[in-house]
Amino acid sequence: MKILRRYMFNRLGNFNYLIGCEQTQQAIALDPLDGQQMLDLAEQQGWQIKLIINTHEHHDHIEGNPVVAAATGAEIWAHKNALGKIPNQARGLVAGDIVELGSIRLKVLYTPGHTPVHLCLLAEADEHNPVPVLFSGDTLFNACAGNCFNGGDVDTMYDTFVSQLNPLPDETLLHPGHDYMKNNLAFALSREPGNSDALSWQAKVKNVEHDDMPVMTLGQERTYNPFLRLHSDAIRSTLKQEFPHLGEGDRDVFKALRALRDKW
Ligand SMILES: [Zn+2]
């Protein structure tokens, strides 16, 4: 499995992904925004796009579908709850489904919260793929969680983190749907000012262009992403300044962080 990531220079800062099988030269276009760019990229690689997958229904994750579908005949797959929301969706995926194309094997995780139809794709480690890879759409970003104010629900997002993301191993590589890493690290540091990992990554990525941003592991994210650090004393004590009646539960901390990030 070979992953090509391209930053879209749009206002929302999306990443587009082409996931290819080097044995069969077949590829999956994930969340295409600039369909023509995905077609050009596939041609450069000698790949045929066989499938389009959308993590969710927001326009910046589906806009390139028609161009890619028209040129390749690729079907559009997304979560079953997206049927009727994504034009020309051919298949409704559910949790546990395995998307197979050549040597590519992607397990569907149902991850509602950002929207009720959101899915993530997990490539588990196997003979073709040395480390697990998570395509997280708008559920998990570098140093942040996705927002919940455009059709989403923060309690559901918290449940998704607990049930779907927290169990994944530290070595899992993270491929999010947008690049907000610099801004998110600044937010993380506003919550946890002494976090040396956040400080060190902030310095490392300061002058890095979007297309060259590092691919982080979940283990690294767990050192600085506040939404994965709900037990941090520093985060809890900083939050109590804004939320004097903050509850002790992880859910309370998660929701308070998301509420603050909404206004960041
Ligand atoms: Zn979205």
Side-chain angles (χ1 to χ4, degrees), residues 110-164:
Y110 179 44
T111 54
H114 177 66
T115 80
V117 318
H118 200 292
L119 61 75
C120 292
L121 296 171
L122 177 68
E124 292 178 305
D126 63 20
E127 68 269 31
H128 301 291
N129 187 45
V131 284
V133 180
L134 178 71
F135 297 94
S136 63
D138 288 2
T139 298
L140 178 66
F141 295 130
N142 295 116
C144 202
N147 70 54
C148 302
F149 52 62
N150 196 359
D153 177 73
V154 68
D155 276 293
T156 310
M157 184 67 111
Y158 171 74
D159 293 336
T160 282
F161 268 60
V162 171
S163 67
Q164 304 300 306

Coordinates of all heavy atoms in Angstrom, one line a residue, residues 110-164:
Y110 N -16.8 2.9 12.4 CA -17.9 3.9 12.4 C -17.6 4.9 13.5 O -17.4 4.5 14.7 CB -19.2 3.2 12.7 CG -20.4 4.1 12.8 CD1 -20.6 5.2 11.9 CD2 -21.4 4.0 13.8 CE1 -21.6 6.1 11.9 CE2 -22.5 4.9 13.9 CZ -22.6 5.9 12.9 OH -23.6 6.8 13.0
T111 N -17.4 6.2 13.1 CA -16.9 7.2 14.0 C -17.7 8.5 14.0 O -17.2 9.5 13.6 CB -15.4 7.5 13.6 OG1 -15.4 7.9 12.2 CG2 -14.5 6.4 13.9
P112 N -19.0 8.4 14.4 CA -19.8 9.6 14.4 C -19.4 10.6 15.4 O -18.6 10.2 16.4 CB -21.2 9.0 14.7 CG -20.9 7.8 15.6 CD -19.7 7.2 15.0
G113 N -19.8 11.8 15.2 CA -19.4 12.9 16.2 C -19.3 14.2 15.4 O -20.0 15.2 15.7
H114 N -18.4 14.2 14.4 CA -18.2 15.3 13.5 C -19.5 15.5 12.7 O -20.0 16.6 12.5 CB -17.0 15.2 12.6 CG -16.8 16.2 11.6 ND1 -16.5 17.6 12.0 CD2 -16.9 16.2 10.3 CE1 -16.4 18.3 10.9 NE2 -16.6 17.5 9.8
T115 N -20.0 14.4 12.2 CA -21.4 14.2 11.6 C -21.8 12.8 12.0 O -21.0 12.0 12.3 CB -21.4 14.4 10.1 OG1 -21.0 13.2 9.5 CG2 -20.6 15.6 9.6
P116 N -23.1 12.6 11.9 CA -23.6 11.2 12.2 C -23.2 10.1 11.2 O -23.5 9.0 11.5 CB -25.2 11.4 12.2 CG -25.4 12.9 12.2 CD -24.2 13.5 11.6
V117 N -22.6 10.5 10.1 CA -22.3 9.5 9.1 C -20.8 9.2 9.0 O -20.4 8.5 8.1 CB -22.8 9.9 7.7 CG1 -24.2 10.5 7.8 CG2 -21.9 10.9 7.0
H118 N -20.0 9.8 9.9 CA -18.6 9.7 9.7 C -18.0 8.3 9.9 O -18.3 7.6 10.8 CB -17.9 10.7 10.7 CG -16.5 11.1 10.3 ND1 -15.5 10.2 10.3 CD2 -16.0 12.3 9.8 CE1 -14.4 10.9 9.8 NE2 -14.7 12.1 9.6
L119 N -17.1 8.0 9.0 CA -16.3 6.7 9.1 C -14.8 7.1 9.0 O -14.4 8.1 8.5 CB -16.7 5.7 8.1 CG -16.5 5.9 6.6 CD1 -15.0 5.8 6.2 CD2 -17.3 4.9 5.8
C120 N -14.0 6.2 9.7 CA -12.6 6.2 9.5 C -12.2 4.9 8.9 O -12.9 3.9 8.9 CB -11.9 6.4 10.8 SG -12.1 8.0 11.7
L121 N -11.0 4.9 8.2 CA -10.5 3.7 7.6 C -9.2 3.3 8.3 O -8.3 4.1 8.5 CB -10.3 3.9 6.1 CG -11.5 4.2 5.3 CD1 -11.1 4.6 3.9 CD2 -12.5 3.0 5.3
L122 N -9.1 2.0 8.7 CA -7.9 1.5 9.4 C -7.3 0.4 8.5 O -7.9 -0.6 8.2 CB -8.3 1.0 10.7 CG -7.2 0.3 11.6 CD1 -6.2 1.4 12.0 CD2 -7.8 -0.4 12.8
A123 N -6.0 0.7 8.1 CA -5.3 -0.4 7.5 C -4.5 -1.1 8.6 O -3.6 -0.5 9.2 CB -4.3 0.2 6.5
E124 N -4.9 -2.3 9.0 CA -4.2 -3.0 10.1 C -2.9 -3.5 9.5 O -2.7 -3.7 8.3 CB -5.1 -4.1 10.6 CG -6.3 -3.5 11.4 CD -7.2 -4.5 11.9 OE1 -7.7 -5.4 11.1 OE2 -7.6 -4.5 13.1
A125 N -1.9 -3.7 10.5 CA -0.6 -4.3 10.0 C -0.8 -5.7 9.5 O -1.5 -6.5 10.0 CB 0.3 -4.3 11.2
D126 N -0.2 -5.9 8.3 CA -0.2 -7.3 7.8 C 1.0 -7.4 6.9 O 1.9 -6.6 6.9 CB -1.5 -7.6 7.0 CG -1.7 -6.6 5.8 OD1 -0.7 -6.0 5.3 OD2 -2.8 -6.5 5.3
E127 N 1.1 -8.5 6.1 CA 2.3 -8.7 5.3 C 2.6 -7.7 4.3 O 3.7 -7.5 3.8 CB 2.3 -10.1 4.7 CG 1.3 -10.3 3.5 CD -0.1 -10.8 4.0 OE1 -0.5 -10.5 5.2 OE2 -0.8 -11.6 3.3
H128 N 1.6 -6.9 3.9 CA 1.8 -5.9 2.9 C 2.0 -4.5 3.5 O 2.3 -3.5 2.9 CB 0.5 -5.7 2.0 CG 0.2 -7.0 1.2 ND1 1.0 -7.5 0.2 CD2 -0.8 -7.9 1.3 CE1 0.5 -8.6 -0.2 NE2 -0.6 -8.9 0.4
N129 N 1.7 -4.4 4.8 CA 1.6 -3.2 5.5 C 2.3 -3.3 6.9 O 1.6 -3.8 7.8 CB 0.1 -2.8 5.6 CG -0.1 -1.4 6.1 OD1 0.5 -0.5 5.7 ND2 -1.0 -1.3 7.0
P130 N 3.5 -2.8 7.1 CA 4.2 -3.0 8.3 C 3.6 -2.4 9.6 O 3.7 -3.0 10.6 CB 5.6 -2.5 8.0 CG 5.5 -1.5 6.9 CD 4.3 -2.0 6.1
V131 N 3.0 -1.2 9.4 CA 2.4 -0.6 10.6 C 1.0 -0.2 10.3 O 0.6 0.1 9.2 CB 3.2 0.7 11.1 CG1 4.5 0.3 11.8 CG2 3.4 1.6 9.9
P132 N 0.1 -0.1 11.3 CA -1.3 0.3 11.1 C -1.3 1.7 10.6 O -0.5 2.6 11.0 CB -1.9 0.1 12.5 CG -1.0 -0.6 13.4 CD 0.4 -0.4 12.8
V133 N -2.3 2.0 9.8 CA -2.5 3.4 9.3 C -4.0 3.7 9.5 O -4.9 2.9 9.1 CB -2.2 3.5 7.8 CG1 -2.4 4.9 7.3 CG2 -0.8 3.0 7.5
L134 N -4.2 4.9 10.1 CA -5.6 5.4 10.3 C -5.8 6.6 9.4 O -5.1 7.6 9.4 CB -5.8 5.8 11.7 CG -7.2 6.3 12.1 CD1 -8.3 5.3 12.0 CD2 -7.2 7.0 13.4
F135 N -6.9 6.5 8.6 CA -7.4 7.7 7.8 C -8.5 8.2 8.6 O -9.6 7.6 8.7 CB -7.8 7.3 6.4 CG -6.6 6.7 5.6 CD1 -6.4 5.4 5.5 CD2 -5.8 7.6 4.9 CE1 -5.3 4.9 4.8 CE2 -4.7 7.1 4.1 CZ -4.5 5.8 4.1
S136 N -8.3 9.4 9.2 CA -9.3 9.8 10.3 C -10.3 10.9 9.9 O -11.1 11.3 10.7 CB -8.5 10.3 11.5 OG -7.7 11.4 11.2
G137 N -10.2 11.3 8.6 CA -11.2 12.3 8.2 C -11.2 13.5 9.1 O -10.1 14.1 9.4
D138 N -12.4 13.9 9.5 CA -12.5 15.0 10.4 C -12.8 14.6 11.8 O -13.5 15.3 12.6 CB -13.6 16.0 9.9 CG -13.1 16.8 8.7 OD1 -12.0 16.5 8.2 OD2 -13.9 17.6 8.2
T139 N -12.4 13.4 12.2 CA -12.6 12.9 13.6 C -11.4 13.3 14.5 O -11.6 13.9 15.5 CB -12.8 11.4 13.6 OG1 -14.0 11.2 12.9 CG2 -13.0 10.9 15.0
L140 N -10.2 12.9 14.0 CA -9.0 13.2 14.8 C -8.0 14.0 13.9 O -7.7 13.5 12.7 CB -8.3 11.9 15.2 CG -7.0 12.0 16.0 CD1 -7.2 12.7 17.3 CD2 -6.4 10.6 16.2
F141 N -7.6 15.1 14.3 CA -6.6 15.9 13.6 C -5.3 15.8 14.4 O -5.3 15.5 15.6 CB -7.0 17.4 13.5 CG -8.2 17.6 12.6 CD1 -9.3 18.3 13.1 CD2 -8.3 17.0 11.4 CE1 -10.4 18.6 12.3 CE2 -9.5 17.2 10.6 CZ -10.5 18.0 11.1
N142 N -4.2 16.3 13.8 CA -3.0 16.5 14.6 C -3.3 17.5 15.7 O -3.7 18.6 15.4 CB -1.8 16.9 13.7 CG -1.4 15.9 12.7 OD1 -1.6 16.1 11.5 ND2 -1.0 14.8 13.1
A143 N -3.1 17.1 16.9 CA -3.2 17.9 18.1 C -4.7 18.4 18.4 O -4.8 19.4 19.1 CB -2.3 19.1 18.0
C144 N -5.7 17.8 17.8 CA -7.0 18.2 18.0 C -8.0 17.1 17.7 O -7.7 16.1 17.0 CB -7.3 19.5 17.2 SG -8.7 20.4 17.9
A145 N -9.3 17.4 18.1 CA -10.5 16.6 17.6 C -11.2 17.4 16.6 O -11.1 18.6 16.6 CB -11.4 16.2 18.8
G146 N -12.0 16.8 15.7 CA -12.8 17.5 14.8 C -13.9 18.3 15.5 O -14.2 18.0 16.7
N147 N -14.4 19.3 14.8 CA -15.5 20.1 15.4 C -16.8 19.3 15.4 O -17.0 18.4 14.6 CB -15.6 21.5 14.8 CG -16.1 21.4 13.4 OD1 -17.2 20.9 13.2 ND2 -15.4 22.0 12.5
C148 N -17.8 19.9 16.1 CA -19.1 19.2 16.2 C -20.2 20.2 15.9 O -21.4 19.9 16.2 CB -19.3 18.6 17.5 SG -18.0 17.4 18.0
F149 N -19.9 21.3 15.3 CA -20.9 22.4 15.1 C -21.5 22.4 13.7 O -22.3 23.3 13.4 CB -20.4 23.7 15.6 CG -19.1 24.2 15.0 CD1 -18.9 24.4 13.6 CD2 -18.0 24.4 15.8 CE1 -17.8 24.8 13.0 CE2 -16.7 24.8 15.2 CZ -16.7 25.0 13.8
N150 N -21.2 21.5 12.9 CA -21.8 21.5 11.6 C -22.5 20.1 11.3 O -22.2 19.4 10.4 CB -20.7 21.7 10.5 CG -21.3 22.1 9.2 OD1 -22.5 22.2 9.0 ND2 -20.4 22.3 8.2
G151 N -23.5 19.9 12.2 CA -24.3 18.6 12.1 C -23.8 17.6 13.0 O -24.3 16.4 13.0
G152 N -22.8 17.9 13.9 CA -22.3 16.9 14.8 C -22.8 16.9 16.2 O -23.7 17.7 16.5
D153 N -22.2 16.1 17.1 CA -22.6 16.1 18.5 C -21.4 15.7 19.3 O -20.7 14.7 19.1 CB -23.7 15.0 18.6 CG -24.1 14.9 20.1 OD1 -24.8 15.8 20.6 OD2 -23.7 13.8 20.7
V154 N -21.1 16.5 20.3 CA -19.8 16.4 21.0 C -19.8 15.1 22.0 O -18.8 14.5 22.2 CB -19.5 17.7 21.8 CG1 -20.4 18.0 22.9 CG2 -18.0 17.6 22.3
D155 N -21.0 14.8 22.5 CA -21.1 13.6 23.3 C -20.8 12.3 22.5 O -20.1 11.4 22.9 CB -22.5 13.4 24.0 CG -22.6 14.2 25.2 OD1 -21.9 13.9 26.2 OD2 -23.3 15.2 25.3
T156 N -21.3 12.3 21.3 CA -21.1 11.2 20.3 C -19.6 11.2 20.0 O -19.0 10.1 19.8 CB -21.9 11.4 19.1 OG1 -23.3 11.6 19.5 CG2 -21.9 10.2 18.2
M157 N -19.0 12.3 19.8 CA -17.6 12.4 19.4 C -16.7 11.8 20.6 O -15.8 11.0 20.3 CB -17.2 13.9 19.2 CG -15.7 14.0 18.7 SD -15.4 13.3 17.1 CE -15.1 14.8 16.1
Y158 N -17.1 12.2 21.8 CA -16.3 11.6 22.9 C -16.5 10.1 22.9 O -15.5 9.4 23.1 CB -16.9 12.2 24.2 CG -16.3 11.5 25.4 CD1 -15.0 11.7 25.9 CD2 -17.1 10.6 26.2 CE1 -14.5 11.0 26.9 CE2 -16.6 9.9 27.2 CZ -15.3 10.1 27.6 OH -14.7 9.4 28.7
D159 N -17.7 9.6 22.7 CA -17.9 8.1 22.7 C -17.1 7.5 21.6 O -16.5 6.4 21.8 CB -19.4 7.8 22.5 CG -20.2 8.2 23.7 OD1 -19.7 8.3 24.8 OD2 -21.5 8.4 23.5
T160 N -17.0 8.1 20.5 CA -16.1 7.6 19.4 C -14.7 7.6 19.8 O -14.0 6.6 19.5 CB -16.3 8.5 18.1 OG1 -17.6 8.2 17.5 CG2 -15.2 8.3 17.1
F161 N -14.2 8.6 20.4 CA -12.8 8.6 20.9 C -12.5 7.4 21.8 O -11.6 6.7 21.7 CB -12.4 9.9 21.6 CG -11.8 10.9 20.6 CD1 -12.5 11.4 19.6 CD2 -10.5 11.4 20.8 CE1 -12.0 12.3 18.7 CE2 -10.0 12.3 20.0 CZ -10.7 12.8 18.9
V162 N -13.5 7.2 22.7 CA -13.3 6.1 23.7 C -13.3 4.8 23.1 O -12.5 3.9 23.3 CB -14.3 6.2 24.8 CG1 -14.3 5.0 25.8 CG2 -14.1 7.5 25.6
S163 N -14.3 4.6 22.2 CA -14.6 3.2 21.7 C -13.7 2.9 20.5 O -13.4 1.7 20.3 CB -16.1 3.0 21.4 OG -16.5 3.8 20.3
Q164 N -13.4 3.9 19.7 CA -12.8 3.6 18.4 C -11.3 4.0 18.3 O -10.5 3.3 17.7 CB -13.5 4.3 17.2 CG -15.0 3.9 17.2 CD -15.2 2.4 17.0 OE1 -14.7 1.8 16.0 NE2 -16.0 1.8 17.8

